[in-house]
Amino acid sequence: MRVLVVGSGAREHAIAVSLAQDPGVTALACAPGNAGTAAVSEQLGLDVSDNDALVALARSWEADLVVIGPEVPLVNGAADAVRDDGIPCFGPSREAARIEGSKAFAKSVMTAAGVPTASSVVVDTPAHLDTALSVFTPPYVVKDDGLAAGKGVVVSSDVEVARAHALSLLEAGHPALLESFLDGPEVSLFCLVDGSTVVPLLPAQDFKRVGDGGTGPNTGGMGAYCPLPWAGDDLAEDLADRIVRPVAAEMERRGTPFSGLLYAGLALTSNGPAVIEFNCRFGDPETQAVLALLRTPLAQLLHATATGALAEQDPPEWADGAAVTVVVAADGYPATPRLGDVITGAEGDGVLHAGTRRREDGAVVSSGGRVLSVVGTGADLAAARADAYARLEPVRLAGSHHRTDIGLDAERGEVSVPAARA
Ligand code: AMP
Ligand code: GLY
């Protein structure tokens, strides 16, 4: 099988590494890829927002399967374009990708499916803001009702901070979504979905804030670990039954079945699991940890999903133990990352590239806010953490920063679901 991966992050590097290990994959390419994917796959030039260019590339390269990583091309109909050309594609249609592209759409699907989520109000003019805010109690949650790469959310107990964020969104012409705060630990559950069949992967936890201890602004994700030692073995199937299968059934009922990777971002609250958001693609950086433990050949799973044959597959098999990924971010990330700095020591196993490119003189330099995603594995979370931080040791990038506490609370047994309220 000839597989073309679209995207250029560490998620795509992780997908490419897994695909390269699949004996069923005879040729592998990334478009546009990065300095790291070049080590495991052919690199093909592509503007991922240009659907016609993608179809032409998939056809000329004779792809048997196209795997689309990022949300932007999916929301832009890239998967429809590829499928319309007769090429199997892993990724949802434009219509189904609205589950991520429009938070209001996602809320309407969840309401119809009876799936718990935060209560919410969309505000589209400053005149309605104060009345809307008065309905909520702290902490306040204010979001951009559209794609914002994980950075459009402010969670604050200070009403003035919440107000200011909502006003800045409105001034930029974006409706603001106000939400009730969900307490409890977060879980990222990735499910392969081919319309009706839903197959959950290992649950993971992502670290959204930039600083240790959950301080500083939200980012696209600073690290992740899986599985969750504080959760029971049946968590993934339980969440699939309660949350993801009803949503997949509702999407089918609407005539917009979901095909690809449906990512439920959940909070395990004192009132039971509730959805924070859905994403229409693999999450970054959780994918780097989850795929590190996958033993089933990845191309087989993705092709079965793309062709509606998921029900005929055996359940995915997993390595024992744990995986941890730590993101190395550029100076200034998440606000204004400094780019173009030389990176050394990033050739080792487990060092996945995100915002990197090879300069004409051969040096690898930073080209994005999240630069590397270093993956460690081990017999348990403590061993996987130690492995990840050891692999990070030789990496040098001027001004870079990373969190030192990825998975630490879980390793110490300090993560738990809050007790049910009376
Ligand atoms: P999102 O972009 O919707 O995934 O939100 C980014 C992060 O903000 C989430 O991972 C949570 O940590 C936090 N967050 C978003 N919505 C809520 C909510 N309703 N309650 C608590 N935390 C939230
Ligand atoms: N890990 C967060 C995201 O991929 O949106």
Side-chain angles (χ1 to χ4, degrees), residues 373-398:
S373 193
V374 181
V375 184
T377 55
D380 58 16
L381 183 53
R385 267 176 50 76
D387 189 43
Y389 284 105
R391 290 174 194 273
L392 195 146
E393 199 51 44
V395 171
R396 294 287 174 273
L397 167 62

PDB file of all heavy atoms in Angstrom, residues 373-398:
ATOM      1  N   SER A 373       8.758  16.941  19.647  1.00  0.00           N
ATOM      2  CA  SER A 373       7.925  16.191  20.586  1.00  0.00           C
ATOM      3  C   SER A 373       8.710  14.927  20.892  1.00  0.00           C
ATOM      4  O   SER A 373       8.867  14.065  20.033  1.00  0.00           O
ATOM      5  CB  SER A 373       6.590  15.897  19.905  1.00  0.00           C
ATOM      6  OG  SER A 373       5.630  15.439  20.785  1.00  0.00           O
ATOM      7  N   VAL A 374       9.247  14.857  22.097  1.00  0.00           N
ATOM      8  CA  VAL A 374      10.159  13.764  22.449  1.00  0.00           C
ATOM      9  C   VAL A 374       9.365  12.677  23.157  1.00  0.00           C
ATOM     10  O   VAL A 374       8.654  12.958  24.128  1.00  0.00           O
ATOM     11  CB  VAL A 374      11.290  14.286  23.348  1.00  0.00           C
ATOM     12  CG1 VAL A 374      12.257  13.177  23.699  1.00  0.00           C
ATOM     13  CG2 VAL A 374      12.020  15.441  22.660  1.00  0.00           C
ATOM     14  N   VAL A 375       9.469  11.435  22.672  1.00  0.00           N
ATOM     15  CA  VAL A 375       8.634  10.345  23.175  1.00  0.00           C
ATOM     16  C   VAL A 375       9.479   9.326  23.926  1.00  0.00           C
ATOM     17  O   VAL A 375      10.499   8.858  23.412  1.00  0.00           O
ATOM     18  CB  VAL A 375       7.908   9.620  22.014  1.00  0.00           C
ATOM     19  CG1 VAL A 375       6.972   8.540  22.562  1.00  0.00           C
ATOM     20  CG2 VAL A 375       7.140  10.605  21.156  1.00  0.00           C
ATOM     21  N   GLY A 376       9.031   8.974  25.115  1.00  0.00           N
ATOM     22  CA  GLY A 376       9.663   7.906  25.879  1.00  0.00           C
ATOM     23  C   GLY A 376       8.659   6.821  26.203  1.00  0.00           C
ATOM     24  O   GLY A 376       7.459   7.093  26.307  1.00  0.00           O
ATOM     25  N   THR A 377       9.131   5.595  26.348  1.00  0.00           N
ATOM     26  CA  THR A 377       8.253   4.492  26.750  1.00  0.00           C
ATOM     27  C   THR A 377       8.914   3.754  27.907  1.00  0.00           C
ATOM     28  O   THR A 377      10.119   3.888  28.133  1.00  0.00           O
ATOM     29  CB  THR A 377       8.007   3.500  25.583  1.00  0.00           C
ATOM     30  OG1 THR A 377       9.275   3.062  25.097  1.00  0.00           O
ATOM     31  CG2 THR A 377       7.224   4.133  24.457  1.00  0.00           C
ATOM     32  N   GLY A 378       8.114   2.972  28.616  1.00  0.00           N
ATOM     33  CA  GLY A 378       8.673   2.207  29.727  1.00  0.00           C
ATOM     34  C   GLY A 378       7.631   1.281  30.308  1.00  0.00           C
ATOM     35  O   GLY A 378       6.462   1.304  29.900  1.00  0.00           O
ATOM     36  N   ALA A 379       8.072   0.488  31.269  1.00  0.00           N
ATOM     37  CA  ALA A 379       7.191  -0.523  31.854  1.00  0.00           C
ATOM     38  C   ALA A 379       6.028   0.131  32.608  1.00  0.00           C
ATOM     39  O   ALA A 379       4.966  -0.460  32.750  1.00  0.00           O
ATOM     40  CB  ALA A 379       7.982  -1.422  32.800  1.00  0.00           C
ATOM     41  N   ASP A 380       6.245   1.339  33.106  1.00  0.00           N
ATOM     42  CA  ASP A 380       5.156   2.067  33.759  1.00  0.00           C
ATOM     43  C   ASP A 380       5.374   3.567  33.502  1.00  0.00           C
ATOM     44  O   ASP A 380       6.343   3.955  32.819  1.00  0.00           O
ATOM     45  CB  ASP A 380       5.083   1.745  35.253  1.00  0.00           C
ATOM     46  CG  ASP A 380       6.378   2.068  35.981  1.00  0.00           C
ATOM     47  OD1 ASP A 380       7.219   2.812  35.425  1.00  0.00           O
ATOM     48  OD2 ASP A 380       6.560   1.577  37.107  1.00  0.00           O
ATOM     49  N   LEU A 381       4.485   4.382  34.048  1.00  0.00           N
ATOM     50  CA  LEU A 381       4.551   5.809  33.752  1.00  0.00           C
ATOM     51  C   LEU A 381       5.866   6.425  34.230  1.00  0.00           C
ATOM     52  O   LEU A 381       6.466   7.250  33.525  1.00  0.00           O
ATOM     53  CB  LEU A 381       3.339   6.514  34.387  1.00  0.00           C
ATOM     54  CG  LEU A 381       3.194   8.003  34.136  1.00  0.00           C
ATOM     55  CD1 LEU A 381       3.230   8.346  32.650  1.00  0.00           C
ATOM     56  CD2 LEU A 381       1.891   8.505  34.760  1.00  0.00           C
ATOM     57  N   ALA A 382       6.343   6.013  35.401  1.00  0.00           N
ATOM     58  CA  ALA A 382       7.598   6.570  35.924  1.00  0.00           C
ATOM     59  C   ALA A 382       8.748   6.259  34.957  1.00  0.00           C
ATOM     60  O   ALA A 382       9.573   7.134  34.649  1.00  0.00           O
ATOM     61  CB  ALA A 382       7.889   5.994  37.309  1.00  0.00           C
ATOM     62  N   ALA A 383       8.782   5.033  34.456  1.00  0.00           N
ATOM     63  CA  ALA A 383       9.859   4.646  33.541  1.00  0.00           C
ATOM     64  C   ALA A 383       9.725   5.386  32.204  1.00  0.00           C
ATOM     65  O   ALA A 383      10.725   5.814  31.607  1.00  0.00           O
ATOM     66  CB  ALA A 383       9.830   3.131  33.318  1.00  0.00           C
ATOM     67  N   ALA A 384       8.501   5.559  31.738  1.00  0.00           N
ATOM     68  CA  ALA A 384       8.285   6.259  30.465  1.00  0.00           C
ATOM     69  C   ALA A 384       8.663   7.732  30.593  1.00  0.00           C
ATOM     70  O   ALA A 384       9.261   8.320  29.679  1.00  0.00           O
ATOM     71  CB  ALA A 384       6.826   6.116  30.026  1.00  0.00           C
ATOM     72  N   ARG A 385       8.343   8.327  31.736  1.00  0.00           N
ATOM     73  CA  ARG A 385       8.732   9.725  31.977  1.00  0.00           C
ATOM     74  C   ARG A 385      10.249   9.869  31.980  1.00  0.00           C
ATOM     75  O   ARG A 385      10.814  10.762  31.352  1.00  0.00           O
ATOM     76  CB  ARG A 385       8.198  10.186  33.354  1.00  0.00           C
ATOM     77  CG  ARG A 385       6.854  10.859  33.331  1.00  0.00           C
ATOM     78  CD  ARG A 385       6.377  11.186  34.748  1.00  0.00           C
ATOM     79  NE  ARG A 385       7.371  11.894  35.551  1.00  0.00           N
ATOM     80  CZ  ARG A 385       7.688  13.190  35.421  1.00  0.00           C
ATOM     81  NH1 ARG A 385       7.070  13.924  34.527  1.00  0.00           N
ATOM     82  NH2 ARG A 385       8.609  13.740  36.182  1.00  0.00           N
ATOM     83  N   ALA A 386      10.897   8.960  32.703  1.00  0.00           N
ATOM     84  CA  ALA A 386      12.358   9.022  32.783  1.00  0.00           C
ATOM     85  C   ALA A 386      12.961   8.860  31.391  1.00  0.00           C
ATOM     86  O   ALA A 386      13.913   9.573  31.023  1.00  0.00           O
ATOM     87  CB  ALA A 386      12.869   7.929  33.730  1.00  0.00           C
ATOM     88  N   ASP A 387      12.400   7.967  30.601  1.00  0.00           N
ATOM     89  CA  ASP A 387      12.911   7.725  29.245  1.00  0.00           C
ATOM     90  C   ASP A 387      12.736   8.975  28.371  1.00  0.00           C
ATOM     91  O   ASP A 387      13.651   9.384  27.648  1.00  0.00           O
ATOM     92  CB  ASP A 387      12.170   6.526  28.639  1.00  0.00           C
ATOM     93  CG  ASP A 387      12.769   6.064  27.325  1.00  0.00           C
ATOM     94  OD1 ASP A 387      14.012   6.001  27.225  1.00  0.00           O
ATOM     95  OD2 ASP A 387      11.994   5.782  26.389  1.00  0.00           O
ATOM     96  N   ALA A 388      11.560   9.606  28.451  1.00  0.00           N
ATOM     97  CA  ALA A 388      11.299  10.798  27.625  1.00  0.00           C
ATOM     98  C   ALA A 388      12.275  11.916  27.992  1.00  0.00           C
ATOM     99  O   ALA A 388      12.890  12.540  27.108  1.00  0.00           O
ATOM    100  CB  ALA A 388       9.856  11.263  27.801  1.00  0.00           C
ATOM    101  N   TYR A 389      12.426  12.171  29.299  1.00  0.00           N
ATOM    102  CA  TYR A 389      13.311  13.278  29.701  1.00  0.00           C
ATOM    103  C   TYR A 389      14.779  12.954  29.415  1.00  0.00           C
ATOM    104  O   TYR A 389      15.564  13.865  29.120  1.00  0.00           O
ATOM    105  CB  TYR A 389      13.047  13.675  31.162  1.00  0.00           C
ATOM    106  CG  TYR A 389      11.753  14.478  31.285  1.00  0.00           C
ATOM    107  CD1 TYR A 389      10.597  13.914  31.811  1.00  0.00           C
ATOM    108  CD2 TYR A 389      11.689  15.790  30.809  1.00  0.00           C
ATOM    109  CE1 TYR A 389       9.408  14.644  31.888  1.00  0.00           C
ATOM    110  CE2 TYR A 389      10.512  16.524  30.882  1.00  0.00           C
ATOM    111  CZ  TYR A 389       9.373  15.949  31.422  1.00  0.00           C
ATOM    112  OH  TYR A 389       8.213  16.678  31.474  1.00  0.00           O
ATOM    113  N   ALA A 390      15.137  11.673  29.426  1.00  0.00           N
ATOM    114  CA  ALA A 390      16.523  11.314  29.064  1.00  0.00           C
ATOM    115  C   ALA A 390      16.759  11.570  27.568  1.00  0.00           C
ATOM    116  O   ALA A 390      17.825  12.056  27.170  1.00  0.00           O
ATOM    117  CB  ALA A 390      16.791   9.848  29.407  1.00  0.00           C
ATOM    118  N   ARG A 391      15.762  11.258  26.739  1.00  0.00           N
ATOM    119  CA  ARG A 391      15.913  11.490  25.290  1.00  0.00           C
ATOM    120  C   ARG A 391      15.964  12.979  24.962  1.00  0.00           C
ATOM    121  O   ARG A 391      16.503  13.384  23.926  1.00  0.00           O
ATOM    122  CB  ARG A 391      14.762  10.824  24.524  1.00  0.00           C
ATOM    123  CG  ARG A 391      14.840   9.310  24.533  1.00  0.00           C
ATOM    124  CD  ARG A 391      13.586   8.713  23.892  1.00  0.00           C
ATOM    125  NE  ARG A 391      13.487   7.297  24.171  1.00  0.00           N
ATOM    126  CZ  ARG A 391      14.050   6.347  23.431  1.00  0.00           C
ATOM    127  NH1 ARG A 391      14.756   6.667  22.362  1.00  0.00           N
ATOM    128  NH2 ARG A 391      13.919   5.084  23.752  1.00  0.00           N
ATOM    129  N   LEU A 392      15.359  13.769  25.829  1.00  0.00           N
ATOM    130  CA  LEU A 392      15.331  15.226  25.610  1.00  0.00           C
ATOM    131  C   LEU A 392      16.676  15.863  25.974  1.00  0.00           C
ATOM    132  O   LEU A 392      17.017  16.946  25.482  1.00  0.00           O
ATOM    133  CB  LEU A 392      14.210  15.778  26.484  1.00  0.00           C
ATOM    134  CG  LEU A 392      13.701  17.170  26.252  1.00  0.00           C
ATOM    135  CD1 LEU A 392      12.200  17.211  26.546  1.00  0.00           C
ATOM    136  CD2 LEU A 392      14.395  18.169  27.121  1.00  0.00           C
ATOM    137  N   GLU A 393      17.438  15.184  26.808  1.00  0.00           N
ATOM    138  CA  GLU A 393      18.678  15.730  27.369  1.00  0.00           C
ATOM    139  C   GLU A 393      19.621  16.312  26.306  1.00  0.00           C
ATOM    140  O   GLU A 393      20.103  17.438  26.450  1.00  0.00           O
ATOM    141  CB  GLU A 393      19.356  14.615  28.188  1.00  0.00           C
ATOM    142  CG  GLU A 393      20.380  15.048  29.203  1.00  0.00           C
ATOM    143  CD  GLU A 393      19.905  16.131  30.141  1.00  0.00           C
ATOM    144  OE1 GLU A 393      18.755  16.053  30.651  1.00  0.00           O
ATOM    145  OE2 GLU A 393      20.686  17.063  30.333  1.00  0.00           O
ATOM    146  N   PRO A 394      19.924  15.567  25.213  1.00  0.00           N
ATOM    147  CA  PRO A 394      20.903  16.109  24.254  1.00  0.00           C
ATOM    148  C   PRO A 394      20.366  17.218  23.340  1.00  0.00           C
ATOM    149  O   PRO A 394      21.151  17.828  22.592  1.00  0.00           O
ATOM    150  CB  PRO A 394      21.290  14.880  23.406  1.00  0.00           C
ATOM    151  CG  PRO A 394      20.237  13.867  23.619  1.00  0.00           C
ATOM    152  CD  PRO A 394      19.543  14.173  24.907  1.00  0.00           C
ATOM    153  N   VAL A 395      19.068  17.489  23.398  1.00  0.00           N
ATOM    154  CA  VAL A 395      18.476  18.467  22.472  1.00  0.00           C
ATOM    155  C   VAL A 395      18.903  19.880  22.865  1.00  0.00           C
ATOM    156  O   VAL A 395      18.813  20.264  24.024  1.00  0.00           O
ATOM    157  CB  VAL A 395      16.934  18.353  22.476  1.00  0.00           C
ATOM    158  CG1 VAL A 395      16.312  19.494  21.687  1.00  0.00           C
ATOM    159  CG2 VAL A 395      16.491  16.998  21.941  1.00  0.00           C
ATOM    160  N   ARG A 396      19.358  20.645  21.886  1.00  0.00           N
ATOM    161  CA  ARG A 396      19.743  22.042  22.128  1.00  0.00           C
ATOM    162  C   ARG A 396      18.999  22.954  21.156  1.00  0.00           C
ATOM    163  O   ARG A 396      19.060  22.755  19.939  1.00  0.00           O
ATOM    164  CB  ARG A 396      21.252  22.236  21.914  1.00  0.00           C
ATOM    165  CG  ARG A 396      22.127  21.511  22.917  1.00  0.00           C
ATOM    166  CD  ARG A 396      22.105  22.178  24.303  1.00  0.00           C
ATOM    167  NE  ARG A 396      22.833  21.394  25.284  1.00  0.00           N
ATOM    168  CZ  ARG A 396      22.309  20.401  26.017  1.00  0.00           C
ATOM    169  NH1 ARG A 396      21.036  20.067  25.871  1.00  0.00           N
ATOM    170  NH2 ARG A 396      23.047  19.743  26.881  1.00  0.00           N
ATOM    171  N   LEU A 397      18.298  23.951  21.687  1.00  0.00           N
ATOM    172  CA  LEU A 397      17.607  24.961  20.876  1.00  0.00           C
ATOM    173  C   LEU A 397      17.566  26.231  21.725  1.00  0.00           C
ATOM    174  O   LEU A 397      16.946  26.247  22.798  1.00  0.00           O
ATOM    175  CB  LEU A 397      16.174  24.493  20.543  1.00  0.00           C
ATOM    176  CG  LEU A 397      15.234  25.555  19.967  1.00  0.00           C
ATOM    177  CD1 LEU A 397      15.755  26.102  18.632  1.00  0.00           C
ATOM    178  CD2 LEU A 397      13.833  24.978  19.777  1.00  0.00           C
ATOM    179  N   ALA A 398      18.224  27.275  21.251  1.00  0.00           N
ATOM    180  CA  ALA A 398      18.352  28.504  22.049  1.00  0.00           C
ATOM    181  C   ALA A 398      16.979  29.035  22.455  1.00  0.00           C
ATOM    182  O   ALA A 398      16.083  29.151  21.607  1.00  0.00           O
ATOM    183  CB  ALA A 398      19.096  29.566  21.246  1.00  0.00           C
TER     184      ALA A 398
END
